[in-house]
Amino acid sequence: MITLVVTGERHQLDVAPDTPQLWVVRDHVGLTGSKFGCGMGLCGACTMHVGDAAMRTCILPVSAVGDRDVTTIEALGGDHVVQQAWLAEQVPQCGYCQPGQIMAAIKLLERNRVPSDADIATGMTNLCRCGTYDRIRKAVKRAAAALPLPPEPEPAEPEDAVDAPTGEGEE
Amino acid sequence: MSVVNVSRRGALQALGGGLFVAFGLPGCGARLAPYDPTIDLGPDAGGPPVDLNAWIRIAPDGVVTLRMGAAEMGQGVFTSLPMLLAEELDCDWAQVSAESAPAHKDYRRTSPTFPVDIQLTGGSESVRGYWPVLREAGAAARAMLVAAAAREWGVDARDCTTDRGVVRCGDRSATYGQLAARAAEERPPRHPTLKSPDDFRLVGTSPARRDLPPKVDGTATFGVDVKLDGMLVGTVLPNPQYGGRFASMDDPAARAMPGVVDILAFDQEVVVLADSFWQARQAAAAVRVTWDKGDGAGLDDAGVRAALAAALDGRKAILVQAEGEAPGTGKVVEARYESPYLDHAQLEPLSCTAHVTDDRCDVWVGTRAQAMSRTTAAKVSGVPKDRCFVHTTFLGGGFGRRGEQDFVRLAVAASKAVGLPVKLIWTREASFARGTHRPATMADLRAELSQTGIAAFSARIAGQNILDRFLPGMHAHSVFGSMPLHEGLSESPYHFPAVRVEAALSTCRSPSGGGGPSKAATTHSTASASSTSAPKPSAATRSSSGASCWLTTRATAPSSMPLSRSRASREPPSPAASRCSRASAPSAPRWSTSRSREAMCASTTSTPPSTAVGSCTPTAWPRRSWAPSPWASP
């Protein structure tokens, strides 16, 4: 038996330990918002949050998840700022890749609250066969604008000052 | 003239109720319910909703549910087509919900291209094709609502007006929801009056896409997401060699793996059925299939290119367009271009769910060809067509591949064989191995320059005609029938004083456009206007040099039947079937019902493991072939 925590809920599942997380969540937990695209971790349609990271779960053995909490697109509920940005920019076409795109975008924005085009291009490598990349970029920026900026960094220790973000001392 | 029978209710009566895919769009802010096959249409709010015609259902609370005959694959038809209906119905856009219509003749559209009405999502024809149909259906329903109000109030219908779901006359008003039940008793007008475009409120605007909320919150149901009680999940090992067929397999190890229920061999595929996808996927990797390579043996990129070059350099071609005369005095630039076979690579791998019982066949599938899917379901299941129901899900990318029937046929055949609901999910590798590729082409383009631009343009393109399989006989060899090959070159938006376009149909019939068993004649008897020679017989279709392309799949066994069954009852013995003996000691399936052993896959333990399954990796297309030939000038 495998224990899996999905959105705070604990599931005891009779699955082989090497079953990819994606299929455990889809077939056994019953949440089908995360999609199967390539089965090789290449397209990102299966992206979920595992602990603090966005992970491609079609190649992630469920036994490797451990007790980390798993979050899927369903947990966002539709009102998440990134989802609202997706609607505002009318991003999806066929829509199949978009749950994975959204899950990837959320983690990108956690790392980088003001992503540039280049940051989005390198930080969002999910594939979209319809070619919605331009709108994805706009939606990520719209979501970034809607998110509160992170708090000002604490006054740095002298030896760390050289690594502090730019703009220090200008205000 | 009215093009739509606005009293169409046959589809609704035929449905038998209860099996709509409830993945329609949320209306009035309601969240989309997850798929549940027991859900009937629409909520009951103070009484049952009422169908005014095949397209329009109105609930007492005013929610208007519109059934869409076209499949939503990202192109927005679940917004654009409801707009057409809502425009003429004059209902409140905020109260419009859309859902997928069943496959039924009532949901056909007109076609700007073909002279028949069809239910097929393709050709960029959905809005154009449904334009007259849905407007008339909406206008007819509106007239019925007005007539019901006028009768109720004892006034002349001509004195009534409508506005966003309300009928008004003087100071009286009633909502569509209140009127719907009585409106359904009214006689539909034979020739409904359409709005003047000047009065359009919705058409011409760009409202938010109605299908996006469920696509953003993960509740949209794609084909791969369908779930039925007691369903088996399977995956597919397709024959990677076009032109070949199943020979034998070694599967005891796979059968012994956890969750595996059955392994079925068909003419062109092996299907592994299990309790869950991953179990099926793991077991499929343990099945060793030997494919008879048949006519396809030896076909490679070099052979494809040789066939294209032969067609391009040959004498026969269809003269597609010829206008003006080339001056023959200017500088000429010319080049040969090539493009390789390309997979559609829709992001959602192929999937289809089928449930065949003695008297009913249901198919849940993201298909562009709903009507063809229904025909396929009937043919394969043996269930009369009027008892076959196609439930179209969202498509995770359409492109050409989801208009094909092989993945529908296979799911229906598998369900029929085991007597249970079956969902088949193709892996990405399987989808690539059995793609129905955009055909490779080779083209010579030539331009004669004038002082100011191009004085004459000519193009001669060689390739396969993807319509071969659909257009019988010579039609595929006509200018019209070969359109997919020369479209874009012919009738170019550029204006050239002189144009000549020729299309040379390649005899290479590898997996273009479709890829299932082809019945198309392979005779290269083009109606050539540029050649004065009489068409040659089909000897020309195969080169004796050894560089020949595979021509067509032999139609010796329908691949809709597991081979052992087809041998037993339907088909004369075939070489493949005769080598296909029943499992002598299969591992006991965990699941057992009254399914017949004959329906189970044949297996043999004597066949050595084959590497055929792994041989699907396409050979790299020569990189240099992408570049045009060096520019040449006289």
Side-chain angles (χ1 to χ4, degrees):
Chain A
M1 294 291 273
I2 293 282
T3 301
L4 189 67
V5 183
V6 181
T7 319
E9 191 176 339
R10 187 170 291 269
H11 298 264
Q12 294 278 339
L13 302 163
D14 183 14
V15 296
D18 65 347
T19 308
Q21 161 90 349
L22 171 70
W23 294 105
V24 174
V25 169
R26 285 182 58 88
D27 284 353
H28 300 275
V29 178
L31 298 174
T32 56
S34 310
K35 303 304 184 193
F36 166 55
C38 66
M40 297 177 181
L42 301 172
C43 75
C46 61
T47 304
M48 301 177 198
H49 297 168
V50 179
D52 291 332
M55 299 195 75
R56 299 194 169 178
T57 58
C58 68
I59 51 170
L60 177 67
V62 67
S63 57
V65 175
D67 57 1
R68 286 178 287 178
D69 195 23
V70 172
T71 304
T72 68
I73 185 77
E74 286 91 346
L76 304 183
D79 295 327
H80 190 283
V81 64
V82 173
Q83 289 175 308
Q84 290 302 306
W86 243 247
L87 289 176
E89 295 292 346
Q90 294 280 288
V91 172
Q93 288 184 32
C94 89
Y96 194 76
C97 73
Q98 300 298 343
Q101 302 276 8
I102 289 167
M103 299 307 278
I106 289 170
K107 286 299 170 189
L108 170 68
L109 288 167
E110 284 181 10
R111 296 193 307 270
N112 182 347
R113 288 296 175 89
V114 193
S116 65
D117 285 356
D119 294 339
I120 296 170
T122 55
M124 295 269 301
T125 55
N126 297 38
L127 297 182
C128 172
R129 175 67 170 87
C130 302
T132 62
Y133 300 111
D134 188 51
R135 292 192 184 205
I136 287 173
R137 192 166 60 239
K138 288 178 182 169
V140 170
K141 288 186 168 181
R142 177 186 280 266
L147 283 167
L149 282 173
E152 287 293 311
E154 295 292 317
E157 297 295 318
E159 60 268 29
D160 293 339
V162 290
D163 294 322
T166 58
E168 193 174 61
E170 288 179 3
E171 293 178 5
Chain B
M1 192 186 83
S2 174
V3 298
V4 56
N5 174 5
V6 291
S7 66
R8 295 168 165 177
R9 288 179 185 153
L12 304 177
Q13 289 159 359
L15 285 174
L19 275 164
F20 272 102
V21 172
F23 70 93
L25 304 179
C28 309
R31 273 283 163 219
L32 180 69
Y35 172 75
D36 178 350
T38 64
I39 286 179
D40 205 337
L41 279 176
D44 287 359
V50 174
D51 296 305
L52 294 190
N53 55 43
W55 308 94
I56 298 172
R57 162 167 289 198
I58 300 180
D61 63 1
V63 172
V64 179
T65 302
L66 307 177
R67 297 189 188 94
M68 294 304 112
E72 174 63 69
M73 54 184 128
Q75 83 281 43
V77 289
F78 270 33
T79 307
S80 56
L81 299 186
M83 286 170 70
L84 300 182
L85 273 171
E87 180 71 69
E88 294 289 348
L89 183 60
D90 223 6
C91 62
D92 183 357
W93 181 245
Q95 288 201 297
V96 168
S97 173
E99 65 181 24
S100 199
H104 191 278
K105 61 182 172 58
D106 285 0
Y107 297 103
R108 289 174 183 165
R109 60 169 172 82
T110 64
S111 170
T113 305
F114 299 103
V116 291
D117 287 359
I118 51 178
Q119 189 179 6
L120 175 78
T121 312
S124 301
E125 292 183 352
S126 288
V127 169
R128 286 179 290 164
Y130 280 114
W131 175 266
V133 180
L134 297 184
R135 287 185 66 201
E136 290 185 15
R142 175 186 169 278
M144 293 161 71
L145 289 158
V146 168
R151 191 185 303 277
E152 182 78 9
W153 299 331
V155 300
D156 191 322
R158 286 169 294 188
D159 295 331
C160 297
T161 60
T162 56
D163 180 22
R164 274 166 276 209
V166 177
V167 183
R168 289 197 171 83
C169 181
D171 56 358
R172 279 189 275 206
S173 67
T175 66
Y176 284 6
Q178 291 167 330
L179 292 166
R182 274 162 287 174
E185 305 299 319
E186 296 289 338
R187 196 180 179 83
R190 286 173 66 91
H191 302 290
T193 305
L194 300 180
K195 273 187 182 178
S196 161
D198 295 337
D199 298 328
F200 283 166
R201 268 197 275 246
L202 273 172
V203 173
T205 67
S206 293
R209 287 261 304 272
R210 303 303 303 270
D211 56 326
L212 296 202
K215 289 179 175 177
V216 162
D217 69 15
T219 56
T221 300
F222 294 87
V224 76
D225 301 326
V226 171
K227 189 175 173 99
L228 302 176
D229 287 343
M231 174 178 83
L232 300 181
V233 183
T235 196
V236 180
L237 292 168
N239 172 11
Q241 186 80 36
Y242 290 86
R245 61 184 315 190
F246 175 84
S248 63
M249 67 178 173
D250 178 15
D251 69 350
R255 285 181 177 276
M257 293 175 70
V260 175
V261 174
D262 212 339
I263 300 176
L264 307 171
F266 296 89
D267 187 61
Q268 293 293 321
E269 305 93 354
V270 168
V271 169
V272 180
L273 299 174
D275 294 330
S276 68
F277 174 79
W278 188 248
Q279 291 170 323
R281 163 79 177 74
Q282 293 294 81
V287 179
R288 301 283 170 236
V289 187
T290 302
W291 301 99
D292 174 357
K293 293 187 177 179
D295 293 346
L299 174 61
D300 59 8
D301 286 335
V304 170
R305 296 185 72 208
L308 290 173
L312 196 57
D313 296 332
R315 287 181 302 166
K316 292 184 196 166
I318 302 165
L319 181 60
V320 175
Q321 189 179 3
E323 292 165 14
E325 287 289 328
T329 55
K331 180 182 178 183
V332 171
V333 290
E334 55 191 342
R336 175 165 289 192
Y337 292 86
E338 295 179 47
S339 65
Y341 284 104
L342 289 176
D343 193 86
H344 296 103
Q346 70 290 343
L347 197 59
E348 180 194 13
L350 297 174
S351 67
C352 179
T353 303
H355 188 195
V356 181
T357 61
D358 287 343
D359 63 346
R360 180 173 178 124
C361 175
D362 285 273
V363 174
W364 293 262
V365 61
T367 177
R368 304 175 54 163
Q370 297 98 315
M372 284 164 65
S373 295
R374 192 182 192 206
T375 302
T376 298
K379 196 182 297 180
V380 177
S381 69
V383 173
K385 194 166 165 182
D386 62 359
R387 297 295 300 158
C388 294
F389 305 94
V390 174
H391 314 278
T392 307
T393 65
F394 284 134
L395 280 65
F399 316 110
R401 189 66 177 92
R402 281 189 212 284
E404 297 292 337
Q405 294 304 305
D406 54 342
F407 62 107
V408 178
R409 184 236 324 141
L410 201 56
V412 174
S415 174
K416 179 174 180 167
V418 299
L420 288 172
V422 167
K423 173 163 72 174
L424 296 186
I425 301 174
W426 297 48
T427 61
R428 176 61 56 188
E429 303 93 301
S431 288
F432 279 156
R434 200 66 190 184
T436 58
H437 308 96
R438 193 189 76 175
T441 61
M442 191 178 286
D444 286 338
L445 271 58
R446 185 176 191 274
E448 182 178 340
L449 305 183
S450 67
Q451 292 298 317
T452 56
I454 293 176
F457 171 81
S458 71
R460 183 179 167 99
I461 185 168
Q464 293 168 245
N465 183 2
I466 63 171
L467 291 182
D468 262 1
R469 294 175 302 135
F470 308 108
L471 293 176
M474 292 296 289
H475 291 297
H477 300 242
S478 65
V479 170
F480 170 77
S482 63
M483 181 261 291
L485 181 57
H486 57 73
E487 186 179 26
L489 288 174
S490 59
E491 309 303 334
S492 160
Y494 297 104
H495 175 71
F496 303 119
V499 180
R500 184 178 181 91
V501 177
E502 298 172 8
L505 296 183
S506 163
T507 58
C508 179
R509 285 199 44 78
S510 70
S512 81
S518 169
K519 294 174 187 164
T522 55
T523 306
H524 186 59
S525 52
T526 57
S528 171
S530 62
S531 166
T532 55
S533 65
K536 280 188 180 177
S538 61
T541 59
R542 294 187 67 180
S543 140
S544 57
S545 69
S548 64
C549 287
W550 168 64
L551 301 175
T552 183
T553 299
R554 288 168 294 172
T556 50
S559 47
S560 60
M561 300 292 293
L563 288 172
S564 56
R565 171 174 287 183
S566 68
R567 180 191 59 190
S569 60
R570 292 275 183 99
E571 290 297 315
S574 68
S578 65
R579 282 198 296 274
C580 189
S581 62
R582 265 193 253 165
S584 52
S587 59
R590 288 175 45 195
W591 156 82
S592 64
T593 67
S594 60
R595 74 202 152 106
S596 71
R597 298 301 300 176
E598 283 76 16
M600 293 181 60
C601 165
S603 80
T604 166
T605 55
S606 62
T607 308
S610 164
T611 57
V613 175
S615 69
C616 60
T617 307
T619 312
W621 193 267
R623 192 171 182 79
R624 58 189 162 76
S625 72
W626 290 97
S629 310
W631 293 99
S633 57

